[in-house]
């Protein structure tokens, strides 16, 4: 919706980065490094001056808190039996990396080769691997596939659990081998995840990339700066209008606007600015400035099925956290040694495997947790139990982000359309069957008499298992694809992340992924921003030489 003219300007810059999430933090660091470019980075949320942004277990308090989370919700989902899900998005510098699970996961080499096969030159595995290595500071040291000395610290977990070790043994009984490194191109196997931590503290992308760069005089951060709409001169984007501390102000970008607001808010801003499908914009009485039918479409996410098993004789966090004395001991252990449950990522053990023989590469990912609860924000159960969450890595279901209102302060409508594709429903049923074999039929768990708490043993037939998946499925917070890269119908950006048909505008975040990666999505988003910064520098050099 057109805003009132802005009288005040925040200044003129070479580039304005919209969003200080994972991609935006990387861009701010890399583009400001040579001192020649004037860079502004805008964050609609605030600073990370809250302890729970830095203590790893703080995700329990940050998700769902208006201080840290935009607290979005999905539309009611048919595939989830009419349920609507909470959809956390980081409301702080660092974005979702300030509240996420901290897992460092690249995906599979075939993911990126698939991007290249869709016509995106320069995005194959061999092309992107150097950018993964560039940002990485791998605690185990550098090799042909890993980097050391980069900005993003990657460390091993600082705790283990016997219940998780038993799951690893049970997985091996079912043909899922033990592995120590998920990030070598094929992530098949079972092992402990590596995490973005530094000696027991969360490493968000604000801490890794943005804060060190803010010491530079040519980089300026604006918080509480809500992007309202893009400004244009013909087909060229020249800046933005912002809501900033109660006023509508403008900011100018001579070199271009870099949209890094994420897979939910990047398409929202494009649509608010008149870029998208004309019919959709007409519903909100927004004048069409540039037709791009793919804006907001192609939404993909990993749906995790949270299976919960009660066990006997295996300690879990459920009962260890019961007493005030136990809680005090955890706090003391963290304060003195930066170890113990307060260093926990939401999931510690992972496994990648196939739901059936038809798949050439693993199509399932497990996140296994030594705890159980009805949903995030709810108390832990009073009995010993663990959660084996399993997701379909490459879902075929496609959803959409659309405008619920022309008001930029209102959240968009998020409709992931989970389990709408029959193939996804079949994978979900197979994933429940496989999990039952691992837990209920293995020698590793037999002494501990596992019992299925969720979804429950009554669900047996294919139809019943699909219904059960709808009951226990929830997001694992990996939305991508809503401004997808490519040349075919529905693509929003080209292989250099420039918005088709416009000048001075790129989208650089998880929304450009044409297909979701086979794993957690933060590390691929960092890679995208690393590569984009190089492409911007290359395009500048080509322009000067022309």
């Amino acid at each position: 919706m057109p805003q009132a003219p802005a009288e005040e300007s925040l200044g003129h810059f070479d580039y304005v980065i919209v969003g200080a999430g994972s991609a935006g933090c990387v861009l701010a660091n890399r583009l400001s490094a040579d001192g020649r470019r004037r860079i502004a980075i805008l964050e609609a949320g605030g600073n990370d001056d809250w302890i729970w942004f830095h203590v790893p277990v703080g995700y329990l308090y940050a998700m769902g808190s208006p201080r840290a989370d935009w607290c979005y919700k999905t539309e009611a989902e048919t595939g989830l039996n009419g349920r609507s899900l909470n959809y956390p998005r980081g409301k702080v510098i660092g974005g979702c990396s300030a509240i996420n699970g901290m897992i460092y996961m690249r995906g599979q080499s075939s993911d990126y080769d698939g991007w290249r096969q869709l016509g995106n030159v320069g995005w194959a595995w061999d092309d992107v691997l150097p950018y993964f290595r560039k940002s990485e500071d791998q605690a185990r040291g550098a090799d042909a596939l890993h980097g050391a000395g980069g900005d993003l610290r990657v460390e091993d977990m600082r705790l283990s659990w016997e219940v998780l070790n038993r799951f690893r043994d049970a997985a091996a009984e079912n043909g899922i081998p033990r592995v120590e490194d998920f990030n070598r191109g094929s992530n098949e196997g079972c092992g402990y995840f590596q995490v973005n931590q530094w000696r027991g503290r969360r490493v968000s992308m604000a801490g890794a990339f943005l804060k060190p760069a803010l010491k530079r005089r040519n980089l300026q951060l604006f918080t509480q700066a809500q992007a309202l709409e893009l400004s244009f001169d013909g087909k060229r984007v020249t800046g933005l209008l912002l809501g900033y501390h109660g006023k509508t102000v403008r900011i100018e970008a001579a070199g271009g606007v870099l949209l890094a607001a994420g897979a939910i808010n990047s398409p929202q801003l494009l649509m608010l600015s008149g870029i998208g499908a004309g019919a959709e914009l007409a519903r909100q009485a927004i004048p069409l400035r540039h037709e791009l039918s793919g804006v907001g479409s192609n939404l993909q996410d990993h749906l995790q099925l949270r299976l919960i098993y009660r066990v006997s004789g295996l300690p879990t966090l459920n009962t260890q956290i019961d007493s005030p004395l136990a809680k005090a001991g955890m706090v003391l252990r963290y304060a003195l040694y930066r170890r113990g449950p307060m260093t926990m990522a939401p999931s510690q053990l992972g496994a990648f495997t196939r739901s059936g023989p038809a798949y050439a590469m693993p199509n399932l990912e497990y996140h296994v947790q030594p705890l159980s609860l009805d949903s995030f924000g709810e108390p832990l159960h009073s009995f010993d139990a663990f959660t084996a969450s399993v997701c379909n890595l490459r879902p075929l279901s496609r959803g959409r982000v659309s405008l619920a209102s022309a008001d930029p302060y209102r959240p968009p409508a998020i409709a992931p359309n989970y389990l709408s594709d029959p193939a996804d429903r079949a994978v979900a049923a197979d994933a429940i069957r496989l999990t039952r074999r691992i837990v209920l039929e293995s020698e590793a768990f037999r002494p501990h008499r596992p019992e299925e708490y969720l979804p429950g043993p009554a669900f047996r037939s294919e139809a019943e298992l699909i219904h059960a998946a709808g009951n226990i499925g929830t997001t694992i917070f990996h939305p991508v694809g809503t401004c997808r890269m490519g040349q075919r119908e529905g693509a929003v950006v080209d292989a250099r992340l420039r918005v088709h048909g416009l000048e001075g505008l790129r989208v650089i975040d998880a929304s450009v992924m044409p297909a979701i990666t086979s794993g957690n999505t933060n590390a691929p988003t960092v890679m995208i921003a690393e590569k984009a910064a190089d492409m911007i520098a290359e395009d500048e050099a080509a322009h000067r030489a022309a």
Side-chain angles (χ1 to χ4, degrees):
M1 182 171 63
Q3 306 295 317
E7 298 298 328
E8 183 179 336
S9 173
L10 291 183
H12 292 70
F13 297 86
D14 293 307
Y15 294 99
V16 174
I17 302 165
V18 182
S22 293
C25 289
V26 176
L27 289 168
N29 185 299
R30 299 308 189 221
L31 293 177
S32 65
D34 68 2
R36 295 181 299 174
R37 305 180 187 93
R38 295 162 298 154
I39 308 295
I41 181 167
L42 312 176
E43 171 54 47
N47 283 305
D48 60 350
D49 51 358
W50 188 34
I51 187 173
W52 296 121
F53 289 132
H54 307 289
V55 177
V57 79
Y59 70 90
L60 288 171
Y61 305 97
M63 286 187 183
S65 167
R67 179 172 183 172
D69 180 1
W70 288 105
C71 299
Y72 291 162
K73 295 181 75 71
T74 70
E75 302 294 289
E77 287 280 299
T78 301
L80 301 186
N81 304 328
R83 292 186 300 127
S84 173
L85 300 181
N86 293 329
Y87 218 70
R89 297 283 90 195
K91 189 181 179 182
V92 60
I93 59 170
C96 292
S97 74
I99 66 172
N100 70 0
M102 296 164 281
I103 292 171
Y104 182 79
M105 183 66 59
R106 297 171 176 175
Q108 297 167 5
S109 59
S110 57
D111 297 333
Y112 305 99
D113 291 340
W115 291 6
R116 173 62 184 89
Q117 288 165 12
L118 291 172
N120 297 299
V121 176
W123 291 93
W125 172 250
D126 288 344
D127 299 313
V128 303
L129 179 58
Y131 291 103
F132 281 117
R133 295 186 73 251
K134 177 180 180 179
S135 58
E136 188 179 8
D137 183 19
Q138 172 59 247
R140 300 176 183 176
D143 62 20
L145 293 169
H146 288 288
D151 302 84
L152 182 55
R153 184 67 173 175
V154 180
E155 293 190 345
D156 294 326
M157 293 276 183
R158 296 173 72 84
L159 77 170
S160 64
W161 292 82
E162 180 58 28
V163 67
L164 301 184
N165 295 335
R166 290 299 176 110
F167 188 95
R168 199 178 189 187
D169 292 340
E173 290 181 42
N174 284 271
I176 308 172
R178 297 169 65 95
V179 295
E180 301 300 328
D181 186 355
F182 287 126
N183 289 297
R184 305 189 72 82
S186 169
N187 47 21
E188 186 163 12
C190 184
Y192 281 87
F193 291 119
Q194 285 198 298
V195 288
N196 294 132
Q197 291 185 12
W198 171 255
R199 297 179 179 175
R201 285 177 63 87
R202 173 189 290 272
V203 174
S204 76
M205 301 312 106
F209 293 95
L210 180 59
K211 289 182 180 180
L214 286 174
K215 299 172 185 176
R216 301 167 186 160
R217 296 178 62 183
N218 63 321
L219 173 63
Q220 191 166 355
L221 167 68
F222 298 92
T223 58
Q224 310 298 332
Q226 174 72 50
L228 304 178
E229 66 176 88
L230 298 166
S231 303
F232 293 84
D233 179 5
K235 288 291 187 179
R236 182 171 186 83
V237 174
T238 58
L240 301 102
L241 291 181
L242 308 173
Y244 185 63
H245 296 281
K247 298 180 291 186
T248 299
V249 301
R250 54 190 168 82
I251 190 167
E252 312 295 336
V257 170
L258 310 178
L259 188 47
I264 305 303
N265 295 113
S266 283
Q268 181 191 26
L269 181 59
L270 291 175
M271 289 184 281
L272 289 170
S273 304
I275 304 168
E280 165 133 355
L281 300 184
R283 284 193 287 271
Q284 303 298 337
I286 296 174
L288 178 66
R289 181 178 289 274
H290 184 64
E291 177 79 33
L292 272 180
S293 63
V295 173
S297 65
N298 194 47
L299 174 62
Q300 301 159 60
D301 190 13
H302 288 142
L303 180 74
Q304 61 173 339
L305 309 182
R306 297 179 61 250
L307 287 88
I308 295 174
Y309 293 91
R310 297 182 66 147
V311 289
S312 301
L314 274 179
T316 68
L317 190 63
N318 289 8
T319 54
Q320 286 200 358
I321 205 170
D322 270 348
S323 73
L325 186 61
K327 290 180 181 177
M330 291 177 188
V331 172
L332 185 63
R333 188 178 180 195
Y334 183 77
L336 293 177
Y337 307 112
R338 293 288 189 265
R339 292 190 177 276
M342 291 188 71
T343 69
M344 280 175 51
S347 303
Q348 295 89 60
L349 189 77
F352 292 83
T353 190
R354 299 166 177 81
S355 63
Y359 293 90
M361 295 292 291
N363 69 314
L364 296 179
E365 178 181 10
Y366 282 90
H367 292 78
V368 192
Q369 306 151 347
L371 54 86
S372 66
L373 67 172
D374 289 332
S375 62
F376 282 110
E378 297 293 319
L380 298 182
H381 293 140
S382 59
F383 48 83
D384 278 318
F386 70 93
T387 303
S389 291
V390 58
C391 73
N392 179 356
L393 286 170
R394 293 182 294 279
L396 298 181
S397 301
R398 295 292 183 268
R400 183 168 186 84
V401 173
S402 55
L403 293 180
S405 166
D407 182 350
Y409 292 97
R410 287 192 56 187
I414 305 168
N417 216 16
Y418 296 120
L419 299 177
S420 58
D421 191 283
D424 293 350
R425 297 195 290 272
V427 169
D430 287 341
I432 294 174
R433 293 187 187 100
L434 174 60
T435 309
R436 286 173 169 173
R437 289 199 298 273
I438 292 172
V439 178
L440 300 177
E441 300 177 17
S442 67
E443 291 300 319
F445 276 113
R446 191 179 304 279
H448 303 288
R449 302 189 300 279
E451 300 175 23
E452 188 171 287
Y453 178 79
L454 281 180
F459 297 93
R460 308 302 302 182
S461 71
E462 182 82 1
E464 288 170 341
L465 291 176
I466 291 170
H467 186 79
N471 288 341
I472 63 174
T474 188
T475 178
I476 204 165
F477 324 122
H478 296 165
V480 308
T482 50
C483 297
R484 71 174 175 88
M485 172 173 35
Q487 297 294 330
R488 301 176 185 177
E489 178 68 25
V492 176
V493 300
D494 65 15
R496 299 188 76 77
L497 308 187
R498 300 170 297 202
V499 174
H500 287 299
L502 295 174
E503 298 178 9
L505 181 62
R506 299 184 199 235
V507 182
I508 304 169
D509 56 32
S511 71
V512 306
M513 296 185 191
I516 196 167
T517 54
S518 300
N520 311 69
T521 52
N522 190 68
T525 301
V526 170
M527 176 277 293
I528 288 168
E530 289 275 25
K531 182 171 172 59
D534 270 8
M535 290 192 295
I536 290 168
E538 291 164 3
D539 289 350
E540 287 177 340
H543 179 74
R544 289 193 298 267

